[in-house]
Amino acid sequence: MLIGLLSIGQTARSQDTVISLETGKSALVIQADAQKRLHYIYLGVKLDNRSDYSALPAVERSKADYTGMYNSVYTSSGSRNLLEPAITVTHADGNQSLDLQYVSHTTVKISPDVELLKIVMKDPVYTIEVTLYYKAYYKENVIEQWSVIVNHEKDDIVLQKFASANLYLKSGSYWLRQYHGDWEKEMQPEETQLTHGIKTLDSKLGTRANLFMPSVFMVSLDKPASEDEGNVLFGALEWSGNFRQDFEVDPENNLRIISGINNYASAYHLKPGKKFETPPFVYTFSTMGKGGASRDLQSWARNYKLLDGKGTRLTLLNNWESTYFDFNEDKLRQLLKNTKQLGVDMFLLDDGWFGNKYPRNDDHAGLGDWQENRQKLPNGISSIGHEADGEGIKFGIWVEPEMVNPKSELYSRHPDWVVKQPNREEYYFRNQLVLDLTNPAVQDFVFHVIDSLFIRDPKLAYIKWDCNAVIYNAYSAYLKHAQSQFYVDYVEGLYLVLKRIRDKYPAVPMMLCSGGGGRVDYNALQYFTEYWPSDNTDPLERIFMQWEYSYFYPAIASSNHVTDSGNEPLKFHVDVAMMGKLGFDIVIDKLKPADLEFCKNAVKTYDALKPVIWQGQQYRLSDPQESSVASVMYVDSAKASAVMFNYLVNYRYDQGTKQPIRLKGLDPAKRYKLTEVNLYPGKLSGISPQSVYSGDFLMKVGFNPGVDTGHTSVVVTLRAVQ
């Protein structure tokens, strides 16, 4: 059984060095043997006596590992290893062997909750040093792991593979839950048993890297974990470009997981004295099923990784569904009034506000020319921001600064800034190409795109940052002969720009959008307050997508907009969007009076509920993949307040909640008053105002919210009463 790794310490040292990492429940143990080989020797339940870990090698009876490297903590290639490596190096003399041996380890306590373990390894023949980092979060039961490779040779070395982490699990069987998708089909789950050999999840798209396959996964031990039972590891690579996850069941039936940047077309030349730092691989382990792992990861994200994860978010009205590219100042003024009328915090101006020589009237032109279109906005975006301020609302804007249309002034002026192969036909994704962020001049340009918006409107309150194209014909005019570093350097260039923006504008909310969920990872999310799960806003589809996303990302990070997509009632749309950061993208002027009244009341209801949705513990009660009803609840830390969302996902005859749904996460000793909220005007609740039950009753017997074809979505609040 594996663990969630946390509090770090060292046991007694004799001929071998034993390093243990513990939580209150679990332990990971690494051994440096007499030959200075580093191995995993234990992943499991924490022992009562730390000194007992030194006895672990004596009870290990494996005889089939001829190499002594199956359980290596960071498997190198070219020497004795016969399995998939975590690192492969070509030395300056052409030799491709590497033999990493233990040198030392240290621990640093960063805070009462966080410790950092560093393990230094070196090759005895070639002067290469690798340091493994394990950053452990005690309360959250989460580990971030990464490596730093340093070249002390006299000439360049080439990193052929450079993983962030190399894990080793022991169990009878392993079940991988992975995800696949495409535009408007994000986060589609698949679960299969891993067999001997290698299963690889990867991306080679360059940008929008998670479009076909997200870089998140679950591995269950012995059997597929359920929501509340079973041993399961959640893993995610914190990287916004090409990734690679290898799952290898070795000849002894143990599982090796190797995660890192994809080394596809990415041999990296490391100069003497320079270091290469891999992105973190984050993981958590639960003995309480997928729900336990999910709550730990969500808590870690809010506390440590997501920008302003403990803060607030802005509700908004977006103009995209109302106008698409066809708008002017008069239309926007009316939308500002609609925003005020609806009661949300902000108006977001989407695509189409820029370009003059090549006006942005559709997606074929103008991208890259970030001056206001004089026909649509003769007084500039500053005038719109000023009028928004006059209405008492905030103003935000859409950009896609990494991209360019061939039909643009930018493309004409700087063709060398564009990612494209010389002497080959250009091939477009959404009629656009990608700018070369390996080039410092392009980095400056992209930073200036954002910076100039704030210069024009210092009160600008929100940025929606889009990224709609993948990389075709990968080539950088700037890198010249170092093309194999392009995919890595592009992402590093993006991070440099985002860091500059955050250094100057640390608190401005930004949405991470990529034609939907094409770029959702925790390295990017440290610069963004939220992400856009999918361009598919049909609420029925969103229930399934948001369910799967929520295993890895907290509700406060999920931007959910109410649109006209789908055939469900308006109430259903709004109820689904409330399970995250609420927004609207509907034509307010076309709403019937009762619909408008409902939306205005829903915004007020949401304002009261959002603290528990954003910061509460999430419990999944009824799985839409297995039932005709989806049910999710959020419970605050004091277990005094909760909200339960229920949706009909199967519209066949006589479907709905036939039996009570058992609740979770409550205090069994408390009594809770249940109230249906977000009712449509004129509709009466099927829940009695006298509905008061103990937490014990609700968790053991349950409660029937009364979901059926006449009540397709039901939102229930729970308040502890005396």
Side-chain angles (χ1 to χ4, degrees), residues 451-462:
D451 192 39
S452 65
L453 294 173
F454 289 100
I455 293 171
R456 282 176 273 183
D457 183 5
K459 290 187 176 181
L460 189 66
Y462 187 89

Side-chain angles (χ1 to χ4, degrees), residues 306-315 345 509 528-530 556-557 581 610 614:
L306 178 66
L307 184 66
D308 197 26
K310 302 293 286 186
T312 188
R313 297 292 185 269
L314 298 172
T315 53
D345 302 314
F528 291 83
T529 49
E530 57 220 59
I556 192 174
K581 203 224 73 170
K610 62 189 182 186
W614 292 350

Side-chain angles (χ1 to χ4, degrees), residues 385-459:
H386 180 72
E387 292 193 36
D389 194 45
E391 293 284 351
I393 58 176
K394 298 180 183 296
F395 174 58
I397 200 164
W398 176 98
V399 291
E400 193 175 2
E402 299 166 69
M403 306 293 166
V404 63
N405 286 128
K407 194 175 182 180
S408 68
E409 293 184 81
L410 178 65
Y411 183 92
S412 300
R413 291 196 309 267
H414 294 289
D416 57 316
W417 284 10
V418 179
V419 176
K420 58 176 183 174
Q421 288 277 356
N423 305 316
R424 294 191 187 276
E425 182 180 359
E426 293 178 359
Y427 192 72
Y428 306 129
F429 197 110
R430 201 185 182 232
N431 309 302
Q432 62 194 58
L433 294 166
V434 180
L435 294 177
D436 181 9
L437 278 175
T438 70
N439 186 337
V442 177
Q443 296 170 22
D444 290 341
F445 169 81
V446 174
F447 171 78
H448 178 70
V449 169
I450 306 302
D451 192 39
S452 65
L453 294 173
F454 289 100
I455 293 171
R456 282 176 273 183
D457 183 5
K459 290 187 176 181

Side-chain angles (χ1 to χ4, degrees), residues 176 178-181 199-206 208-217 237 239 241-247 258-265:
L176 174 67
Q178 65 183 83
Y179 296 89
H180 68 96
K199 168 84 171 184
T200 297
L201 310 180
D202 76 340
S203 172
K204 304 179 181 72
L205 305 182
R208 205 174 170 182
N210 292 331
L211 176 63
F212 297 150
M213 183 166 288
S215 54
V216 296
F217 64 86
L237 186 67
W239 181 247
N242 295 345
F243 63 86
R244 174 173 171 174
Q245 322 263 25
D246 294 320
F247 303 85
I258 299 174
S259 176
I261 297 172
N262 199 338
N263 56 326
Y264 160 77

Side-chain angles (χ1 to χ4, degrees), residues 8 24 127 305 421 432:
I8 298 173
T127 52
K305 185 59 62 166
Q421 288 277 356
Q432 62 194 58

Side-chain angles (χ1 to χ4, degrees), residues 547-607:
W547 182 282
E548 299 298 337
Y549 271 118
S550 75
Y551 281 119
F552 301 93
Y553 304 101
I556 192 174
S558 180
S559 284
N560 305 332
H561 290 185
V562 178
T563 74
D564 292 330
S565 179
N567 299 314
E568 296 78 12
L570 177 62
K571 171 177 163 52
F572 194 99
H573 285 71
V574 175
D575 289 350
V576 172
M578 289 174 98
M579 294 193 301
K581 203 224 73 170
L582 177 65
F584 290 83
D585 203 339
I586 54 178
V587 184
I588 300 298
D589 286 340
K590 293 184 179 180
L591 291 178
K592 293 181 288 189
D595 285 347
L596 179 58
E597 181 185 354
F598 168 73
C599 288
K600 291 166 65 175
N601 291 336
V603 172
K604 295 176 183 177
T605 300
Y606 178 74
D607 285 342

Side-chain angles (χ1 to χ4, degrees), residues 43 53 74 77 80 106 110 224 241 269 377 391 487 511 524 583 594 666 683 707:
L43 294 136
Y53 294 128
Y74 197 67
S77 64
R80 305 183 324 277
T106 58
I110 297 174
H269 293 253
L377 302 175
E391 293 284 351
Y487 285 120
M511 180 203 291
L666 301 175
K683 297 291 185 180
V707 175

